[in-house]
Amino acid sequence: MKFWSDFYDLLMPDLPGCPTAAADGALRQSAIAFCEQSLAWQTEHLPIFVMGGIAEYAYSPPESAAVHAIIHAVLDGEEVEPFSCGKNITIRNLHRQTGKPRYILGGPSSLTLVPTPDSNGVLTITVALKPSAISTGVDDTLFHEYREAIIHGSMARLMLSPKKPYTHIQLAAYHQQQFIIKTAAAGMRVARGYARAPFQTTILRRG
């Protein structure tokens, strides 16, 4: 794991007088936005043991991370489709039924299988992660591959701060544009399958 302070060498020289707490907050928010928009941080979740009659299951993300989206799901060898808005009517009709799950709905801290499973099984999912709201840093691979995008996003946020030594509206616009460009490029890389295999993120079990 890389801490927010590992970004300082490229961040702080352009932000005279910026408190480290403000820098950390901007880096965290930038990294969260980058991960949400690009889906670049992906990993295999721990197997989830499904029980008949129970539809909702809590995530077990790595420490300092949160699940943003479910990319792929397989229940006992059969794919379960991640929910999309176009299936809203179908989903509503299935909520109170039991049977073989057809859809998987991702929430902030848990997932829901629809319809409710009527038998036990093992669910495997690939998830897109993002730093949690209290994270102290990012995954090593995310840092090495997408460091510049995260720095651009954080500088855009900090330079918009009013009446600071580092306030600079024009440069903030430039950094925001670079953040958008680099985030879109990362998203296209993932969509086209150019990203490497899912990051080998260590899953820590909570005792």
Side-chain angles (χ1 to χ4, degrees), residues 174-201:
Y174 163 77
H175 287 296
Q176 181 62 21
Q177 181 183 45
Q178 290 300 307
F179 173 78
I180 292 170
I181 290 171
K182 292 182 181 298
T183 301
M188 290 179 64
R189 181 185 178 195
V190 172
R192 292 175 179 174
Y194 293 154
R196 329 190 218 193
F199 295 173
Q200 297 302 307
T201 302

PDB file of all heavy atoms in Angstrom, residues 174-201:
ATOM      1  N   TYR A 174      -6.911  23.574 -15.840  1.00  0.00           N
ATOM      2  CA  TYR A 174      -5.977  22.726 -16.593  1.00  0.00           C
ATOM      3  C   TYR A 174      -5.858  21.348 -15.944  1.00  0.00           C
ATOM      4  O   TYR A 174      -5.939  20.314 -16.630  1.00  0.00           O
ATOM      5  CB  TYR A 174      -4.602  23.385 -16.658  1.00  0.00           C
ATOM      6  CG  TYR A 174      -3.501  22.420 -17.051  1.00  0.00           C
ATOM      7  CD1 TYR A 174      -3.348  22.019 -18.383  1.00  0.00           C
ATOM      8  CD2 TYR A 174      -2.637  21.885 -16.083  1.00  0.00           C
ATOM      9  CE1 TYR A 174      -2.354  21.107 -18.741  1.00  0.00           C
ATOM     10  CE2 TYR A 174      -1.646  20.989 -16.435  1.00  0.00           C
ATOM     11  CZ  TYR A 174      -1.508  20.603 -17.765  1.00  0.00           C
ATOM     12  OH  TYR A 174      -0.540  19.697 -18.112  1.00  0.00           O
ATOM     13  N   HIS A 175      -5.663  21.322 -14.641  1.00  0.00           N
ATOM     14  CA  HIS A 175      -5.500  20.043 -13.952  1.00  0.00           C
ATOM     15  C   HIS A 175      -6.782  19.211 -14.001  1.00  0.00           C
ATOM     16  O   HIS A 175      -6.724  17.980 -14.132  1.00  0.00           O
ATOM     17  CB  HIS A 175      -5.066  20.266 -12.505  1.00  0.00           C
ATOM     18  CG  HIS A 175      -3.644  20.704 -12.374  1.00  0.00           C
ATOM     19  ND1 HIS A 175      -2.582  19.907 -12.756  1.00  0.00           N
ATOM     20  CD2 HIS A 175      -3.100  21.865 -11.919  1.00  0.00           C
ATOM     21  CE1 HIS A 175      -1.443  20.545 -12.538  1.00  0.00           C
ATOM     22  NE2 HIS A 175      -1.724  21.731 -12.029  1.00  0.00           N
ATOM     23  N   GLN A 176      -7.924  19.869 -13.937  1.00  0.00           N
ATOM     24  CA  GLN A 176      -9.191  19.140 -14.050  1.00  0.00           C
ATOM     25  C   GLN A 176      -9.319  18.516 -15.435  1.00  0.00           C
ATOM     26  O   GLN A 176      -9.774  17.369 -15.574  1.00  0.00           O
ATOM     27  CB  GLN A 176     -10.370  20.067 -13.764  1.00  0.00           C
ATOM     28  CG  GLN A 176     -11.728  19.394 -13.846  1.00  0.00           C
ATOM     29  CD  GLN A 176     -11.909  18.283 -12.821  1.00  0.00           C
ATOM     30  OE1 GLN A 176     -11.209  18.254 -11.809  1.00  0.00           O
ATOM     31  NE2 GLN A 176     -12.837  17.377 -13.076  1.00  0.00           N
ATOM     32  N   GLN A 177      -8.915  19.257 -16.456  1.00  0.00           N
ATOM     33  CA  GLN A 177      -8.969  18.713 -17.817  1.00  0.00           C
ATOM     34  C   GLN A 177      -8.047  17.497 -17.951  1.00  0.00           C
ATOM     35  O   GLN A 177      -8.418  16.482 -18.544  1.00  0.00           O
ATOM     36  CB  GLN A 177      -8.562  19.783 -18.829  1.00  0.00           C
ATOM     37  CG  GLN A 177      -8.617  19.306 -20.280  1.00  0.00           C
ATOM     38  CD  GLN A 177      -8.146  20.370 -21.242  1.00  0.00           C
ATOM     39  OE1 GLN A 177      -7.125  21.005 -21.005  1.00  0.00           O
ATOM     40  NE2 GLN A 177      -8.891  20.576 -22.308  1.00  0.00           N
ATOM     41  N   GLN A 178      -6.844  17.588 -17.386  1.00  0.00           N
ATOM     42  CA  GLN A 178      -5.917  16.465 -17.443  1.00  0.00           C
ATOM     43  C   GLN A 178      -6.451  15.255 -16.671  1.00  0.00           C
ATOM     44  O   GLN A 178      -6.292  14.105 -17.095  1.00  0.00           O
ATOM     45  CB  GLN A 178      -4.554  16.879 -16.882  1.00  0.00           C
ATOM     46  CG  GLN A 178      -3.795  17.850 -17.764  1.00  0.00           C
ATOM     47  CD  GLN A 178      -3.527  17.266 -19.146  1.00  0.00           C
ATOM     48  OE1 GLN A 178      -2.976  16.168 -19.271  1.00  0.00           O
ATOM     49  NE2 GLN A 178      -3.934  17.990 -20.170  1.00  0.00           N
ATOM     50  N   PHE A 179      -7.102  15.528 -15.549  1.00  0.00           N
ATOM     51  CA  PHE A 179      -7.707  14.439 -14.781  1.00  0.00           C
ATOM     52  C   PHE A 179      -8.772  13.730 -15.611  1.00  0.00           C
ATOM     53  O   PHE A 179      -8.812  12.489 -15.668  1.00  0.00           O
ATOM     54  CB  PHE A 179      -8.332  14.984 -13.496  1.00  0.00           C
ATOM     55  CG  PHE A 179      -9.122  13.963 -12.725  1.00  0.00           C
ATOM     56  CD1 PHE A 179      -8.476  13.012 -11.941  1.00  0.00           C
ATOM     57  CD2 PHE A 179     -10.508  13.948 -12.791  1.00  0.00           C
ATOM     58  CE1 PHE A 179      -9.203  12.062 -11.234  1.00  0.00           C
ATOM     59  CE2 PHE A 179     -11.242  13.001 -12.086  1.00  0.00           C
ATOM     60  CZ  PHE A 179     -10.592  12.056 -11.306  1.00  0.00           C
ATOM     61  N   ILE A 180      -9.616  14.494 -16.275  1.00  0.00           N
ATOM     62  CA  ILE A 180     -10.679  13.916 -17.109  1.00  0.00           C
ATOM     63  C   ILE A 180     -10.083  13.088 -18.252  1.00  0.00           C
ATOM     64  O   ILE A 180     -10.525  11.956 -18.522  1.00  0.00           O
ATOM     65  CB  ILE A 180     -11.588  15.029 -17.665  1.00  0.00           C
ATOM     66  CG1 ILE A 180     -12.389  15.676 -16.530  1.00  0.00           C
ATOM     67  CG2 ILE A 180     -12.536  14.477 -18.728  1.00  0.00           C
ATOM     68  CD1 ILE A 180     -13.137  16.922 -16.926  1.00  0.00           C
ATOM     69  N   ILE A 181      -9.059  13.622 -18.907  1.00  0.00           N
ATOM     70  CA  ILE A 181      -8.438  12.925 -20.037  1.00  0.00           C
ATOM     71  C   ILE A 181      -7.804  11.610 -19.580  1.00  0.00           C
ATOM     72  O   ILE A 181      -8.002  10.551 -20.195  1.00  0.00           O
ATOM     73  CB  ILE A 181      -7.379  13.828 -20.699  1.00  0.00           C
ATOM     74  CG1 ILE A 181      -8.063  14.993 -21.425  1.00  0.00           C
ATOM     75  CG2 ILE A 181      -6.517  13.025 -21.691  1.00  0.00           C
ATOM     76  CD1 ILE A 181      -7.103  16.053 -21.925  1.00  0.00           C
ATOM     77  N   LYS A 182      -7.036  11.665 -18.503  1.00  0.00           N
ATOM     78  CA  LYS A 182      -6.325  10.471 -18.045  1.00  0.00           C
ATOM     79  C   LYS A 182      -7.282   9.438 -17.448  1.00  0.00           C
ATOM     80  O   LYS A 182      -7.070   8.222 -17.581  1.00  0.00           O
ATOM     81  CB  LYS A 182      -5.243  10.862 -17.036  1.00  0.00           C
ATOM     82  CG  LYS A 182      -4.101  11.658 -17.673  1.00  0.00           C
ATOM     83  CD  LYS A 182      -3.011  12.003 -16.680  1.00  0.00           C
ATOM     84  CE  LYS A 182      -1.909  12.823 -17.349  1.00  0.00           C
ATOM     85  NZ  LYS A 182      -1.238  12.076 -18.430  1.00  0.00           N
ATOM     86  N   THR A 183      -8.334   9.897 -16.807  1.00  0.00           N
ATOM     87  CA  THR A 183      -9.319   8.967 -16.262  1.00  0.00           C
ATOM     88  C   THR A 183     -10.075   8.273 -17.383  1.00  0.00           C
ATOM     89  O   THR A 183     -10.316   7.057 -17.332  1.00  0.00           O
ATOM     90  CB  THR A 183     -10.303   9.709 -15.338  1.00  0.00           C
ATOM     91  OG1 THR A 183      -9.572  10.330 -14.273  1.00  0.00           O
ATOM     92  CG2 THR A 183     -11.328   8.757 -14.745  1.00  0.00           C
ATOM     93  N   ALA A 184     -10.444   9.033 -18.414  1.00  0.00           N
ATOM     94  CA  ALA A 184     -11.136   8.439 -19.563  1.00  0.00           C
ATOM     95  C   ALA A 184     -10.240   7.427 -20.268  1.00  0.00           C
ATOM     96  O   ALA A 184     -10.703   6.360 -20.690  1.00  0.00           O
ATOM     97  CB  ALA A 184     -11.565   9.530 -20.529  1.00  0.00           C
ATOM     98  N   ALA A 185      -8.958   7.738 -20.396  1.00  0.00           N
ATOM     99  CA  ALA A 185      -8.021   6.818 -21.033  1.00  0.00           C
ATOM    100  C   ALA A 185      -7.902   5.522 -20.235  1.00  0.00           C
ATOM    101  O   ALA A 185      -7.850   4.424 -20.804  1.00  0.00           O
ATOM    102  CB  ALA A 185      -6.650   7.477 -21.179  1.00  0.00           C
ATOM    103  N   ALA A 186      -7.866   5.650 -18.905  1.00  0.00           N
ATOM    104  CA  ALA A 186      -7.803   4.456 -18.057  1.00  0.00           C
ATOM    105  C   ALA A 186      -9.075   3.621 -18.206  1.00  0.00           C
ATOM    106  O   ALA A 186      -9.022   2.389 -18.284  1.00  0.00           O
ATOM    107  CB  ALA A 186      -7.609   4.860 -16.596  1.00  0.00           C
ATOM    108  N   GLY A 187     -10.219   4.290 -18.277  1.00  0.00           N
ATOM    109  CA  GLY A 187     -11.480   3.578 -18.452  1.00  0.00           C
ATOM    110  C   GLY A 187     -11.546   2.844 -19.783  1.00  0.00           C
ATOM    111  O   GLY A 187     -12.030   1.709 -19.859  1.00  0.00           O
ATOM    112  N   MET A 188     -11.042   3.478 -20.836  1.00  0.00           N
ATOM    113  CA  MET A 188     -11.019   2.832 -22.148  1.00  0.00           C
ATOM    114  C   MET A 188     -10.080   1.634 -22.142  1.00  0.00           C
ATOM    115  O   MET A 188     -10.363   0.601 -22.757  1.00  0.00           O
ATOM    116  CB  MET A 188     -10.596   3.836 -23.220  1.00  0.00           C
ATOM    117  CG  MET A 188     -11.632   4.912 -23.508  1.00  0.00           C
ATOM    118  SD  MET A 188     -11.083   6.100 -24.752  1.00  0.00           S
ATOM    119  CE  MET A 188     -10.930   5.020 -26.192  1.00  0.00           C
ATOM    120  N   ARG A 189      -8.969   1.771 -21.448  1.00  0.00           N
ATOM    121  CA  ARG A 189      -8.011   0.671 -21.349  1.00  0.00           C
ATOM    122  C   ARG A 189      -8.660  -0.535 -20.690  1.00  0.00           C
ATOM    123  O   ARG A 189      -8.491  -1.678 -21.131  1.00  0.00           O
ATOM    124  CB  ARG A 189      -6.805   1.135 -20.533  1.00  0.00           C
ATOM    125  CG  ARG A 189      -5.713   0.086 -20.375  1.00  0.00           C
ATOM    126  CD  ARG A 189      -4.633   0.608 -19.462  1.00  0.00           C
ATOM    127  NE  ARG A 189      -3.601  -0.394 -19.258  1.00  0.00           N
ATOM    128  CZ  ARG A 189      -2.692  -0.345 -18.302  1.00  0.00           C
ATOM    129  NH1 ARG A 189      -2.708   0.675 -17.460  1.00  0.00           N
ATOM    130  NH2 ARG A 189      -1.794  -1.284 -18.180  1.00  0.00           N
ATOM    131  N   VAL A 190      -9.403  -0.295 -19.624  1.00  0.00           N
ATOM    132  CA  VAL A 190     -10.091  -1.382 -18.934  1.00  0.00           C
ATOM    133  C   VAL A 190     -11.165  -1.991 -19.837  1.00  0.00           C
ATOM    134  O   VAL A 190     -11.282  -3.213 -19.961  1.00  0.00           O
ATOM    135  CB  VAL A 190     -10.718  -0.872 -17.627  1.00  0.00           C
ATOM    136  CG1 VAL A 190     -11.597  -1.942 -16.995  1.00  0.00           C
ATOM    137  CG2 VAL A 190      -9.631  -0.451 -16.650  1.00  0.00           C
ATOM    138  N   ALA A 191     -11.965  -1.131 -20.486  1.00  0.00           N
ATOM    139  CA  ALA A 191     -13.059  -1.611 -21.331  1.00  0.00           C
ATOM    140  C   ALA A 191     -12.567  -2.451 -22.506  1.00  0.00           C
ATOM    141  O   ALA A 191     -13.223  -3.393 -22.931  1.00  0.00           O
ATOM    142  CB  ALA A 191     -13.871  -0.421 -21.844  1.00  0.00           C
ATOM    143  N   ARG A 192     -11.392  -2.116 -23.016  1.00  0.00           N
ATOM    144  CA  ARG A 192     -10.850  -2.844 -24.160  1.00  0.00           C
ATOM    145  C   ARG A 192     -10.018  -4.047 -23.763  1.00  0.00           C
ATOM    146  O   ARG A 192      -9.480  -4.750 -24.611  1.00  0.00           O
ATOM    147  CB  ARG A 192      -9.988  -1.893 -24.997  1.00  0.00           C
ATOM    148  CG  ARG A 192     -10.796  -0.806 -25.696  1.00  0.00           C
ATOM    149  CD  ARG A 192      -9.879   0.163 -26.409  1.00  0.00           C
ATOM    150  NE  ARG A 192     -10.648   1.193 -27.104  1.00  0.00           N
ATOM    151  CZ  ARG A 192     -10.101   2.235 -27.719  1.00  0.00           C
ATOM    152  NH1 ARG A 192      -8.795   2.390 -27.718  1.00  0.00           N
ATOM    153  NH2 ARG A 192     -10.866   3.126 -28.339  1.00  0.00           N
ATOM    154  N   GLY A 193      -9.912  -4.265 -22.455  1.00  0.00           N
ATOM    155  CA  GLY A 193      -9.172  -5.426 -21.999  1.00  0.00           C
ATOM    156  C   GLY A 193      -7.681  -5.247 -21.992  1.00  0.00           C
ATOM    157  O   GLY A 193      -6.928  -6.218 -21.915  1.00  0.00           O
ATOM    158  N   TYR A 194      -7.200  -3.981 -22.052  1.00  0.00           N
ATOM    159  CA  TYR A 194      -5.770  -3.735 -22.061  1.00  0.00           C
ATOM    160  C   TYR A 194      -5.179  -3.732 -20.662  1.00  0.00           C
ATOM    161  O   TYR A 194      -3.972  -3.809 -20.503  1.00  0.00           O
ATOM    162  CB  TYR A 194      -5.453  -2.390 -22.720  1.00  0.00           C
ATOM    163  CG  TYR A 194      -5.762  -2.365 -24.191  1.00  0.00           C
ATOM    164  CD1 TYR A 194      -6.053  -1.169 -24.841  1.00  0.00           C
ATOM    165  CD2 TYR A 194      -5.761  -3.532 -24.933  1.00  0.00           C
ATOM    166  CE1 TYR A 194      -6.332  -1.135 -26.190  1.00  0.00           C
ATOM    167  CE2 TYR A 194      -6.046  -3.501 -26.286  1.00  0.00           C
ATOM    168  CZ  TYR A 194      -6.335  -2.306 -26.911  1.00  0.00           C
ATOM    169  OH  TYR A 194      -6.615  -2.283 -28.250  1.00  0.00           O
ATOM    170  N   ALA A 195      -6.048  -3.583 -19.651  1.00  0.00           N
ATOM    171  CA  ALA A 195      -5.526  -3.591 -18.283  1.00  0.00           C
ATOM    172  C   ALA A 195      -4.996  -4.975 -17.972  1.00  0.00           C
ATOM    173  O   ALA A 195      -5.425  -5.963 -18.538  1.00  0.00           O
ATOM    174  CB  ALA A 195      -6.629  -3.206 -17.296  1.00  0.00           C
ATOM    175  N   ARG A 196      -4.033  -5.034 -17.070  1.00  0.00           N
ATOM    176  CA  ARG A 196      -3.533  -6.332 -16.694  1.00  0.00           C
ATOM    177  C   ARG A 196      -4.605  -7.110 -15.962  1.00  0.00           C
ATOM    178  O   ARG A 196      -5.678  -6.614 -15.715  1.00  0.00           O
ATOM    179  CB  ARG A 196      -2.360  -6.207 -15.729  1.00  0.00           C
ATOM    180  CG  ARG A 196      -1.493  -5.071 -15.818  1.00  0.00           C
ATOM    181  CD  ARG A 196      -0.321  -5.372 -14.906  1.00  0.00           C
ATOM    182  NE  ARG A 196       0.093  -4.178 -14.237  1.00  0.00           N
ATOM    183  CZ  ARG A 196       1.218  -4.100 -13.604  1.00  0.00           C
ATOM    184  NH1 ARG A 196       2.004  -5.126 -13.556  1.00  0.00           N
ATOM    185  NH2 ARG A 196       1.567  -3.006 -13.024  1.00  0.00           N
ATOM    186  N   ALA A 197      -4.268  -8.337 -15.595  1.00  0.00           N
ATOM    187  CA  ALA A 197      -5.197  -9.130 -14.803  1.00  0.00           C
ATOM    188  C   ALA A 197      -5.545  -8.338 -13.549  1.00  0.00           C
ATOM    189  O   ALA A 197      -4.791  -7.458 -13.146  1.00  0.00           O
ATOM    190  CB  ALA A 197      -4.552 -10.453 -14.432  1.00  0.00           C
ATOM    191  N   PRO A 198      -6.704  -8.632 -12.932  1.00  0.00           N
ATOM    192  CA  PRO A 198      -7.102  -7.871 -11.744  1.00  0.00           C
ATOM    193  C   PRO A 198      -5.960  -7.733 -10.745  1.00  0.00           C
ATOM    194  O   PRO A 198      -5.177  -8.654 -10.540  1.00  0.00           O
ATOM    195  CB  PRO A 198      -8.250  -8.725 -11.170  1.00  0.00           C
ATOM    196  CG  PRO A 198      -8.826  -9.401 -12.360  1.00  0.00           C
ATOM    197  CD  PRO A 198      -7.656  -9.676 -13.278  1.00  0.00           C
ATOM    198  N   PHE A 199      -5.846  -6.575 -10.132  1.00  0.00           N
ATOM    199  CA  PHE A 199      -4.781  -6.305  -9.175  1.00  0.00           C
ATOM    200  C   PHE A 199      -4.752  -7.398  -8.116  1.00  0.00           C
ATOM    201  O   PHE A 199      -5.780  -7.830  -7.618  1.00  0.00           O
ATOM    202  CB  PHE A 199      -5.020  -4.969  -8.473  1.00  0.00           C
ATOM    203  CG  PHE A 199      -4.951  -3.777  -9.376  1.00  0.00           C
ATOM    204  CD1 PHE A 199      -5.290  -2.530  -8.883  1.00  0.00           C
ATOM    205  CD2 PHE A 199      -4.558  -3.879 -10.711  1.00  0.00           C
ATOM    206  CE1 PHE A 199      -5.222  -1.411  -9.686  1.00  0.00           C
ATOM    207  CE2 PHE A 199      -4.497  -2.767 -11.520  1.00  0.00           C
ATOM    208  CZ  PHE A 199      -4.830  -1.522 -11.015  1.00  0.00           C
ATOM    209  N   GLN A 200      -3.562  -7.820  -7.744  1.00  0.00           N
ATOM    210  CA  GLN A 200      -3.419  -8.832  -6.709  1.00  0.00           C
ATOM    211  C   GLN A 200      -3.493  -8.158  -5.341  1.00  0.00           C
ATOM    212  O   GLN A 200      -2.510  -8.044  -4.615  1.00  0.00           O
ATOM    213  CB  GLN A 200      -2.095  -9.586  -6.891  1.00  0.00           C
ATOM    214  CG  GLN A 200      -2.029 -10.359  -8.197  1.00  0.00           C
ATOM    215  CD  GLN A 200      -3.160 -11.364  -8.312  1.00  0.00           C
ATOM    216  OE1 GLN A 200      -3.364 -12.173  -7.426  1.00  0.00           O
ATOM    217  NE2 GLN A 200      -3.905 -11.323  -9.416  1.00  0.00           N
ATOM    218  N   THR A 201      -4.660  -7.677  -5.028  1.00  0.00           N
ATOM    219  CA  THR A 201      -4.874  -7.003  -3.757  1.00  0.00           C
ATOM    220  C   THR A 201      -5.026  -8.029  -2.643  1.00  0.00           C
ATOM    221  O   THR A 201      -5.737  -9.017  -2.800  1.00  0.00           O
ATOM    222  CB  THR A 201      -6.155  -6.142  -3.828  1.00  0.00           C
ATOM    223  OG1 THR A 201      -6.014  -5.203  -4.879  1.00  0.00           O
ATOM    224  CG2 THR A 201      -6.403  -5.407  -2.524  1.00  0.00           C
TER     225      THR A 201
END
